Amino acid sequence: MGRSMNYYQQKQMKTLKFKLEEEHMSPEVIDPKLGFGSVGGLDEQMKEIQENVLFPLMNKESVSEWGVEPVKGVIFHGPPGTGKTLLAKALAAELSRLTDTPFTFFYRKGTDSIQKYIGWTEAYFKKLFDEARANKPSIIVFDEIDGICSQRQNGDGEYL
């Protein structure tokens, strides 16, 4: 049994390596005309982003004097169709314009990121983050992330 399990694991890893080499992790192209002016109805959220993301990146000296570090990530949440992805794309376009450095934008659906075999999901995410590091500065968006989480239940079988 140990031999067949070892053989199975080796075969699985060879398949994973082949699949990851085949997987195309290229960033999405963002329309350079896109910006916060293209996003309607999210004025409060855009103000938060400008204060917490754009201002610290554009004023690094002042922010460092205050002892504040720029944010490393932002979580947008809300029902489908409320502009979260558009806001992230607008942020990438604004940052690209303000810093004169093109920001790469990786968009992945949460359910597409989950793989069948043990270790494949981790390898997928490692490859994605390696690609983002190689193309930095980068923005990675995981949409529909709730699709990869199981629903929690209490002891009576009721959903929490």
Side-chain angles (χ1 to χ4, degrees):
M1 183 167 170
R3 182 174 179 208
S4 64
M5 184 64 122
N6 192 9
Y7 169 77
Y8 177 74
Q9 289 173 338
Q10 288 175 355
K11 186 175 178 182
Q12 204 176 29
M13 291 311 292
K14 284 181 186 177
T15 307
L16 171 62
K17 184 178 177 189
F18 175 74
K19 185 174 181 188
L20 285 174
E21 288 169 358
E22 232 180 35
E23 184 75 40
H24 197 53
M25 294 279 181
S26 61
E28 190 174 314
V29 177
I30 300 296
D31 182 2
K33 296 178 211 153
L34 187 64
F36 289 139
S38 307
V39 180
L42 297 174
D43 297 331
E44 186 178 322
Q45 289 81 4
M46 286 187 286
K47 183 181 177 199
E48 289 283 329
I49 289 171
Q50 289 168 345
E51 290 175 357
N52 295 304
V53 178
L54 294 178
F55 182 81
L57 288 174
M58 300 310 299
N59 301 292
K60 290 181 181 176
E61 297 83 26
S62 300
V63 172
S64 66
E65 288 176 14
W66 301 333
V68 177
E69 290 186 31
V71 296
K72 300 282 185 194
V74 179
I75 297 177
F76 299 144
H77 63 90
T82 56
K84 299 178 297 292
T85 304
L86 179 61
L87 193 56
K89 288 180 180 182
L91 175 61
E94 291 283 345
L95 286 169
S96 295
R97 267 194 299 284
L98 290 172
T99 61
D100 291 326
T101 305
F103 271 65
T104 54
F105 186 84
F106 293 89
Y107 176 83
R108 297 291 180 271
K109 288 194 180 241
T111 52
D112 294 343
S113 304
I114 299 301
Q115 304 297 321
K116 182 177 178 180
Y117 297 107
I118 294 172
W120 287 29
T121 301
E122 293 81 357
Y124 174 86
F125 283 120
K126 182 182 181 321
K127 183 174 181 187
L128 175 62
F129 279 88
D130 287 347
E131 192 69 28
R133 261 186 229 98
N135 292 293
K136 66 182 173 183
S138 300
I139 293 178
I140 304 173
V141 172
F142 293 108
D143 199 8
E144 300 174 8
I145 197 73
D146 55 329
I148 65 171
C149 303
S150 61
Q151 292 184 337
R152 295 181 58 178
Q153 296 177 340
N154 65 12
D156 299 329
E158 296 175 7
Y159 291 106
L160 301 176

